[in-house]
Amino acid sequence: MTFGYVGIRVKSLEESIRFYTEVLGMKLTGRTKVEQTKGEVASLVSEDGGFPLELNYYQEGSPHAVKYTVGEGLDHLAFVVEDIDEAVAKAKKFGSREILEVRTEKSRWVYVEDPNGIWIELERTLSGDC
Amino acid sequence: MTFGYVGIRVKSLEESIRFYTEVLGMKLTGRTKVEQTKGEVASLVSEDGGFPLELNYYQEGSPHAVKYTVGEGLDHLAFVVEDIDEAVAKAKKFGSREILEVRTEKSRWVYVEDPNGIWIELERTLSGDC
């Protein structure tokens, strides 16, 4: 068994695709309408063969289009960036809110919000303690 | 920028580690207490060098230990399995609820719940349309 991808739900597919490609440098690999769920799905990866992030959108009338609250299930998505300040500036220019900065002796990481209110962690290396 | 890991919040670290290792075959690669957040973090992967799943637990008194509701941010986590029926049976034996089965001409996939109520998709190959 292998961990295949993570699927988040989004409020607007266009705006979320724009955030994950323009701010976080991902590439759109596919986009599919799913009749059964009255939904549309977009797949993104950071690099060829990389771990996919799936954006799930449900149109009005879909049984899955319930009220959107971020909730506690997803804590955060983490992205490794070359330059944290540059990445934060890019996110802010997009309209994202900066949530929290954490500094330890060894490292530093910053959380910003995606267009759905999901926390995105930006850090230079995966420190393993956040 | 690369997508580094996904972190979910869990209600019980022990029970969630048990689910992701025993039912979904992941390996525990590390476990760290985080003083700042009054939390504890466990990292898991399906294979060496694979994409990490981070389990975030917050003890009572942590500012992050707010009421747990799964919410809409995380739609689902997907796992590729050899035998869907065997995987579902294993999950049920653990105590997981089967939520939904979807069949298309080309494929079939089943959703079960993890101990936190998070939807886990089990499928044979990543079909790209779910």
Side-chain angles (χ1 to χ4, degrees), chain A residues 46 51 54 61 98 110-111:
Chain A
S46 288
F51 193 78
E54 187 185 84
E98 183 179 331
V110 175
Y111 297 93

Side-chain angles (χ1 to χ4, degrees), chain A residues 62-81:
Chain A
S62 161
H64 303 293
V66 297
K67 190 172 176 289
Y68 194 98
T69 44
V70 174
E72 290 295 307
L74 180 57
D75 201 83
H76 57 282
L77 302 174
F79 285 81
V80 179
V81 300

Side-chain angles (χ1 to χ4, degrees), chain B residues 19 75 123:
Chain B
F19 177 81
D75 201 83
E123 58 180 327

